[in-house]
Amino acid sequence: CAAANMMREYNQKLNPSCPFCRHSIFFTDEERHKNDLKRVEANDPAVLLKMGAKHDEEGDYESAFKYWAHAAELGEANAHLNLSILYAMGRGVEKDDEKATYHQEESAIAGHPQPRKILALQEIDNGRIDRAAKHFIIAANLGDDMSIKSLKTCYAIGEISKEDFASALRGHQAAVDATKSPQREAAMKYRNI
């Protein structure tokens, strides 16, 4: 992760560099912007996502849509989630609940827990608690804490079995454990200094 890379650079007294390409990090806004444009030309989904967020913050939803749509074509899960929000709210595009749901589903399929929770809540609104529970189980297996709380409620009202709840708890714990490492903990300490 970026924090671990920062800690490595600090400990080895290195100049800050990109954790992916190891080029020096640009310090002026002009240098950073030139590099971002170069990465947009190279179809870097992370920069497309960043550029979309920049335009979204400025209220330029049409440009945000353009960048996020391109990033989504490249498989960026967060771009699909952002597109679902634009369609749901009608920002920069015509409001379209079907397209919003499509992009939520694409983001969920790509492994993002947030749209899983949104889809679960939509299923609850439609009276399909069993389908909502399945979305919550998947999100819990991705390490999402809120989904575990929701599954506890589903278990309490009898919508999921004890075995399914226990399996989701184990999956959640495995996902949380997978994100733990001595390097990550040291990096978090370093970031909080």
Side-chain angles (χ1 to χ4, degrees):
C1 73
N5 187 55
M6 286 174 30
M7 191 180 87
R8 179 188 62 82
E9 291 168 346
Y10 176 78
N11 289 338
Q12 296 177 4
K13 297 181 180 12
L14 302 171
N15 289 327
S17 64
C18 173
F20 305 106
C21 68
R22 301 287 188 227
H23 282 100
S24 294
I25 291 181
F26 304 98
F27 291 104
T28 68
D29 288 341
E30 184 181 329
E31 289 174 316
R32 192 174 295 115
H33 183 68
K34 280 183 186 177
N35 188 53
D36 285 349
L37 292 177
K38 204 183 305 182
R39 289 172 63 195
V40 164
E41 289 297 316
N43 291 324
D44 181 342
V47 173
L48 292 167
L49 186 68
K50 174 183 164 185
M51 296 293 276
K54 178 181 173 271
H55 287 283
D56 183 63
E57 288 171 10
E58 294 169 353
D60 181 4
Y61 303 120
E62 290 84 7
S63 294
F65 174 83
K66 182 182 99 178
Y67 283 108
W68 286 337
H70 192 131
E73 288 171 6
L74 297 170
E76 171 57 55
N78 288 309
H80 279 292
L81 179 59
N82 293 340
L83 288 171
S84 76
I85 294 166
L86 291 181
Y87 278 116
M89 301 186 77
R91 289 183 174 169
V93 293
E94 196 170 314
K95 186 175 172 150
D96 188 330
D97 290 336
E98 285 184 28
K99 287 183 180 179
T101 300
Y102 167 79
H103 285 289
Q104 287 169 357
E105 290 171 347
E106 289 296 311
S107 183
I109 289 167
H112 199 306
Q114 183 66 29
R116 282 280 173 202
K117 293 186 292 191
I118 295 168
L119 291 168
L121 295 173
Q122 288 174 348
E123 294 294 355
I124 289 171
D125 288 344
N126 293 329
R128 297 186 293 238
I129 306 297
D130 57 327
R131 289 184 61 154
K134 289 177 184 176
H135 283 297
F136 284 134
I137 288 170
I138 294 169
N141 287 333
L142 294 170
D144 185 68
D145 295 332
M146 190 213 104
S147 294
I148 285 293
K149 292 177 184 172
S150 298
L151 286 171
K152 186 177 181 181
T153 302
C154 289
Y155 174 64
I157 63 172
E159 288 296 330
I160 63 169
S161 68
K162 185 176 184 177
E163 293 79 23
D164 287 342
F165 184 54
S167 176
L169 284 171
R170 285 190 301 274
H172 177 267
Q173 190 59 51
V176 170
D177 290 345
T179 64
K180 293 182 181 176
S181 71
Q183 295 87 355
R184 185 171 290 217
E185 288 174 19
M188 292 306 288
K189 286 179 187 174
Y190 170 75
R191 276 178 49 177
N192 292 330
I193 293 178

